[in-house]
């Protein structure tokens, strides 16, 4: 508890650009959770270097993601929005937790297996202990809740196991976090291969709508979206996954039900429908994009947010870290 509120922690990597799937699947939910919890939303740039990064690109992406959090509606005064690398306690606790995590546990992590097969010339130790750093992120803030997607549940389970193990030896040091899966919103799929998730690392740039895409780009990508030759705008995810995906996107961002979308486009062609989806998405993202570019101009404001929030995060994180150091028997400095 902090200021009488339960604590929430989550983070996103500083790689690539965020797309509408990230917004609808995570960020939108973060904004509504921020009313009920004391929230820490980190840009986890230390996790990002488990895959080789271009320095300038990493720095730009990290700052963009931080501004995207704010542009999406997270108040940076109410929510602690910060860079993981600005708070050394993450690295320090991560080392300690490495000594309480078994290799057998890390060997089972499916994300490690996936990523090491994709990056087989750089299977570094950081990629292996990635989930331990993630556990440190969460435990430092004594988080009660962690909003994550299904793909992160295994990491969260590991975090809980390590926290239990530590607590069993040293007493109640860590709060045991619960996953918060959020409302099962529509899963947004690739515009080019609609049976697959929309992904920020897709090589086909037409597959995803990025939050910072401009109106023309958005409309062009929807025009090129892969559909089928049924010539029928009906929700049938099995046989018409492309159309179902477009209907999902149109329904969520246009605030309509699927039934309303079906009747609106009964008897109409795919061309009209794709244009309507493109325009609706472009309209929905417009205020977001405008806010983002305003923030980008206001360098001094963002710099202040970054500095103040790093201090705020460090204050909470260091409290936990000091407690841990004391418990495990590190010499106490006066
Ligand atoms: N591994 C998470 C992802 O790729 C990002 C992350 C790092 C995270 N630390 C976290 C998410 C702590 C939740 C809590 O999505």
């Amino acid at each position: 508890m902090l200021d009488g509120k339960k604590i929430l922690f989550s983070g996103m990597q500083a790689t690539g650009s965020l797309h509408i799937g990230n917004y609808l699947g995570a960020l939108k939910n973060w904004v509504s959770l921020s009313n009920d919890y004391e929230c820490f939303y980190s840009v986890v740039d230390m996790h990002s270097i488990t895959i080789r990064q271009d320095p300038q690109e990493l720095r730009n992406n990290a700052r963009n993601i931080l501004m995207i959090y704010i542009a999406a509606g997270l108040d940076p005064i109410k929510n602690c929005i910060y860079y993981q690398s600005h708070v050394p306690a993450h690295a320090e606790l991560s080392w300690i937790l490495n000594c309480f995590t078994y290799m057998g546990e890390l060997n089972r992590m499916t994300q490690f297996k996936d990523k090491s097969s994709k990056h087989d010339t750089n299977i570094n130790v950081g990629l292996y202990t990635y989930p331990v750093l993630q556990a440190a992120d969460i435990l430092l803030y004594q988080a009660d809740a962690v909003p994550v997607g299904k793909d992160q549940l295994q990491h969260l389970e590991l975090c809980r196991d390590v926290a239990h193990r530590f607590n069993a030896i040293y007493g109640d040091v860590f709060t045991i976090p619960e996953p918060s899966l959020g409302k099962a919103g529509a899963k947004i799929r690739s515009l080019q291969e609609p049976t697959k998730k929309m992904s920020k690392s897709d090589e086909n740039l037409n597959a995803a709508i990025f939050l910072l895409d401009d109106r023309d780009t958005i409309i062009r990508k929807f025009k090129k979206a892969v559909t089928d030759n049924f010539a029928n705008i009906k929700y049938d995810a099995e046989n018409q996954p492309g159309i179902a995906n477009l209907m999902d996107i149109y329904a969520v961002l246009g605030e309509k039900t699927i039934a309303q979308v079906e009747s609106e486009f009964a008897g109409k062609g795919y061309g009209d429908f794709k244009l309507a989806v493109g325009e609706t998405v472009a309209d929905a993202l417009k205020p977001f994009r405008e806010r983002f570019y305003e923030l980008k101009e206001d360098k001094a404001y963002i710099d202040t947010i970054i500095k103040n929030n790093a201090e705020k995060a460090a204050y909470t994180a260091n409290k936990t870290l000091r407690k841990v150091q004391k418990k495990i028997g590190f010499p106490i400095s006066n």
Side-chain angles (χ1 to χ4, degrees):
M1 294 286 241
L2 203 65
D3 298 334
K5 277 189 176 172
K6 287 200 165 182
I7 300 167
L8 182 149
F9 185 96
S10 201
M12 279 189 200
Q13 290 218 39
T15 42
S17 309
L18 297 188
H19 53 64
I20 53 172
N22 300 126
Y23 174 70
L24 296 170
L27 265 182
K28 197 169 172 226
N29 192 33
W30 288 13
V31 177
S32 59
L33 288 164
S34 71
N35 297 316
D36 302 323
Y37 290 89
E38 185 68 36
C39 299
F40 293 86
Y41 289 124
S42 188
V43 176
V44 292
D45 48 357
M46 289 162 67
H47 278 104
S48 302
I49 63 163
T50 54
I51 308 289
R52 202 68 73 230
Q53 303 291 336
D54 172 76
Q56 196 51 45
E57 221 170 88
L58 176 63
R59 198 172 291 120
N60 289 344
N61 280 335
R63 193 166 171 111
N64 281 353
I65 292 195
L66 190 129
M67 291 188 291
I68 283 176
Y69 286 181
I70 303 172
L74 290 172
D75 177 345
I77 308 286
K78 240 178 66 186
N79 301 284
C80 189
I81 292 172
Y82 74 101
Y83 294 130
Q84 183 189 33
S85 65
H86 279 187
V87 181
H90 288 256
E92 296 177 75
L93 182 63
S94 180
W95 170 254
I96 294 170
L97 296 182
N98 271 322
C99 305
F100 291 85
T101 307
Y102 300 120
M103 289 178 68
E105 290 177 303
L106 296 180
N107 289 339
R108 285 198 291 275
M109 295 293 126
T110 56
Q111 189 172 305
F112 172 68
K113 292 184 212 170
D114 284 355
K115 287 196 181 169
S116 45
S117 67
K118 271 193 209 137
H119 304 274
D120 59 359
T121 54
N122 181 21
I123 306 179
N124 62 73
V125 179
L127 196 60
Y128 187 62
T129 61
Y130 177 116
V132 182
L133 177 59
Q134 183 163 349
D137 297 345
I138 298 165
L139 299 177
L140 275 176
Y141 300 91
Q142 306 287 354
D144 298 283
V146 183
V148 282
K150 280 209 191 84
D151 65 320
Q152 294 297 315
L153 280 177
Q154 198 186 27
H155 288 167
L156 192 61
E157 207 41 56
L158 176 82
C159 169
R160 289 164 52 90
D161 289 345
V162 172
H164 273 303
R165 184 171 305 142
F166 194 94
N167 284 355
I169 306 171
Y170 301 103
D172 279 338
V173 176
F174 296 125
T175 302
I176 308 295
E178 298 285 341
S180 152
L181 277 171
K183 289 175 250 109
K187 277 269 167 299
I188 305 303
R189 283 159 276 125
S190 156
L191 298 188
Q192 292 296 318
E193 283 175 89
T195 50
K196 290 203 319 207
K197 240 175 49 165
M198 189 175 278
S199 155
K200 43 181 177 175
S201 50
D202 204 312
E203 278 169 18
N204 186 339
L205 292 177
N206 289 322
I209 302 291
F210 296 104
L211 294 175
L212 298 174
D213 279 349
D214 62 31
R215 187 176 189 85
D216 289 348
T217 307
I218 295 174
I219 291 176
R220 181 174 44 77
K221 286 183 180 178
F222 278 106
K223 269 191 193 151
K224 290 194 178 147
V226 169
T227 51
D228 51 61
N229 45 27
F230 289 86
N232 186 10
I233 300 170
K234 224 175 130 267
Y235 197 87
D236 179 355
E238 179 104 10
N239 298 308
Q240 295 182 254
I243 287 292
N245 191 33
L246 297 184
M247 291 176 85
D248 278 331
I249 295 170
Y250 186 68
V252 195
L253 288 174
E255 295 177 5
K256 293 177 183 167
T257 65
I258 293 291
Q260 281 169 334
V261 182
E262 268 178 358
S263 65
E264 186 179 343
F265 290 96
K268 298 219 170 106
Y270 286 178
D272 289 346
F273 178 52
K274 285 178 173 182
L275 183 62
V277 182
E279 285 177 338
T280 299
V281 173
D283 288 346
L285 294 184
K286 189 167 176 252
F288 164 84
R289 208 167 40 246
E290 285 172 357
R291 178 88 185 106
F292 176 88
Y293 286 107
E294 269 169 36
L295 291 169
K296 198 167 170 159
E297 288 301 304
D298 204 345
K299 191 170 177 305
Y301 170 72
I302 295 294
D303 288 344
T304 311
I305 296 280
I306 290 173
K307 187 165 174 288
N308 292 348
N309 279 336
E311 279 169 18
K312 190 171 145 190
Y315 177 80
T316 304
N318 286 335
K319 271 209 294 209
T320 302
L321 181 66
R322 299 292 167 251
K323 200 165 163 185
V324 168
Q325 290 170 328
K326 202 167 141 194
K327 290 280 185 187
I328 58 179
F330 284 175
I332 298 166
S333 60
N334 294 304

